[in-house]
Structures are given as C-alpha cells and as structure tokens.
Amino acid sequence: MNKAAFFKMSYGLYVISSGDGSRFNGQIANTVFQVTSDPATIAVCINKQNLTHEFIRQSRKFTASIIARSAPLEFIGRFGFKSGRDIDKFAGLNYKIGETGFPIVTDHTVASIEAEVINELDCGTHRIFIGRVIDCDVLSDDEPMTYAYYHEVKGGKSPKAAPTYQKEEPPCPAPKANRYVCSICGYVYDPEKGDPDSGIKPGARFEDLPTDWTCPVCGAEKAKFEKEA
C-alpha cells in the first residue's frame, strides 16, 4: 500500500477555535469540508488528545478560520505545534468574537465559518464533528493556503496529532550544503530555499545562520537542529 496517494488529495489549512466559557483555544486542522448546502453543514476532524477537542465537546460549537497562502510559518506553528495548555495562542493576534462566542482569527485569514455541533463520529484517535453553519463571512481577497502549498512551497510538516500525519523517510541531503532537521517539529532547513519569512535568503548555509535564529514553525532554538543523515 502506497500511502503517498493521500498526499494527492486536496486539503486546506484552518484554525479551528472553541472554548470552555473562561478561555479559548485554537489549533491547525487540514480536514475541514462542507457536507451539505441546505441546510449548510460542515465537518472537522480533531485529534482526541487536543485541547480543542475537549472544548468542542463541552461547548458544542466551533469556528473555522481559513488561512491565507501568505501566512508565515510562525503563525501556523503557533496553532499547530504548541499546546493551548501551555500558552495563550491568541496573544498578540488580531481576532474577533463571532456568533458562537469564540474567536475568529482575522490575521492571515481569508474567510471564516462558525458552526454548532449537530452530530459526531468516533474515528479512533480522532473525532469528526458535524456542525450546522450559523454564520460565515469573507475577510479578504487573498488566496487560501492549500495543504500542498504548505508542504511544497513553505516546507511545512504535519504535527503527529494531524489525521494526515505520516512518518517520512528523510530526503537525500543537498550535494553542496547540508540540510538540518528540527528535532522538535521535523521542519527541514534547506539552504537552497532559505527562510524567507525570517529574512534568510536562499543560499544561506545553516552554519551561517544567526545564533538567535529559531525554527520558523515551532520556535525551537538553533541548537535543537540536527544535520540530516
């Protein structure tokens, strides 16, 4: 069985938000889709270990902020590789409170959808929540980020809690300059691509990066990177 076939399926990237009445949380999800148009319903797949899963089960409501293609990796890393049990993911970001009472991220977002849970499906490690749409809006004319764009252009990785996570074999090292892998989130620094979001131009060797440079996805320090085998 060649699981690479799953990478050919079309996905987007979304910030799914919910709360418990006293605090909010949000996470990255790539499995969000429309189920019906009349009445409008959508579905989202969330890992059971995530705090957002706990909040959705309690509140029976969630929001989906559709991420723009121009969103920096730090933004995706904040919601995808850090836990809301440790940090306030919305600190320093622009957002608004929707009809659900939960946040809609307005930074790096093209549209938003809010839903009230009407059904759910247990899928083992994950749970699919089906929600009746109670409000939605277009926030910008930017292009939405697809999952393929995130992987192929941004160089991003899937967190282990994602439904599409697959353990990848490390790619062959570059012939002239070594690639380095973040031991925390799996992000690969490729000298040929650099790190444009952090002002690092293509061609910059990892060894020459500033000592205070950090992983653009999870924020890990440079010392947490290992040379690709």
Side-chain angles (χ1 to χ4, degrees):
M1 181 166 59
N2 184 2
K3 290 186 177 181
F6 292 120
F7 293 134
K8 302 299 183 181
M9 298 181 71
S10 178
Y11 300 92
L13 277 185
Y14 314 85
V15 175
I16 305 300
S17 304
S18 191
D20 67 354
S22 61
R23 57 178 175 155
F24 303 134
N25 191 56
Q27 68 159 78
I28 293 293
N30 66 354
T31 311
V32 178
F33 56 93
Q34 183 177 352
V35 180
T36 61
S37 60
D38 188 16
T41 58
I42 63 170
V44 59
C45 186
I46 304 291
N47 189 289
K48 291 179 181 178
Q49 296 182 0
N50 291 358
L51 182 61
T52 304
H53 176 275
E54 177 182 324
F55 285 172
I56 294 176
R57 294 214 81 191
Q58 290 177 2
S59 68
R60 313 305 292 172
K61 295 177 181 178
F62 63 89
T63 71
S65 303
I66 303 173
I67 298 175
R69 180 183 291 185
S70 58
L73 283 174
E74 184 279 329
F75 174 82
I76 299 171
R78 174 194 295 231
F79 285 101
F81 289 91
K82 297 181 180 181
S83 173
R85 296 182 175 91
D86 302 324
I87 67 167
D88 176 3
K89 296 187 182 182
F90 295 94
L93 290 180
N94 293 311
Y95 65 90
K96 63 180 180 179
I97 302 301
E99 294 294 324
T100 56
F102 300 132
I104 294 169
V105 181
T106 55
D107 285 339
H108 315 299
T109 303
V110 300
S112 64
I113 302 173
E114 301 183 72
E116 183 175 31
V117 175
I118 58 174
N119 208 339
E120 59 183 66
L121 177 63
D122 191 319
C123 299
T125 58
H126 291 67
R127 192 181 306 274
I128 295 176
F129 295 100
I130 299 174
R132 176 180 61 87
V133 175
I134 59 178
D135 198 17
C136 53
D137 197 11
V138 175
L139 304 181
S140 80
D141 294 328
D142 292 345
E143 288 291 322
M145 184 180 295
T146 65
Y147 199 49
Y149 186 90
Y150 168 64
H151 276 279
E152 296 170 9
V153 179
K154 289 284 191 178
K157 300 295 180 181
S158 301
K160 292 183 178 180
T164 54
Y165 172 78
Q166 293 183 32
K167 185 176 180 179
E168 300 178 15
E169 294 296 328
C172 297
K176 295 183 179 180
N178 292 312
R179 291 159 39 125
Y180 281 75
V181 182
C182 177
S183 62
I184 304 300
C185 71
Y187 169 81
V188 178
Y189 176 79
D190 186 343
E192 293 186 1
K193 296 180 180 179
D195 178 15
D197 288 343
S198 302
I200 306 298
K201 296 181 179 180
R205 299 190 314 158
F206 180 84
E207 295 85 350
D208 297 331
L209 298 182
T211 55
D212 60 352
W213 179 85
T214 58
C215 175
V217 175
C218 70
E221 59 186 15
K222 187 178 177 182
K224 296 296 184 181
F225 277 71
E226 300 173 352
K227 184 185 296 186
E228 189 175 70

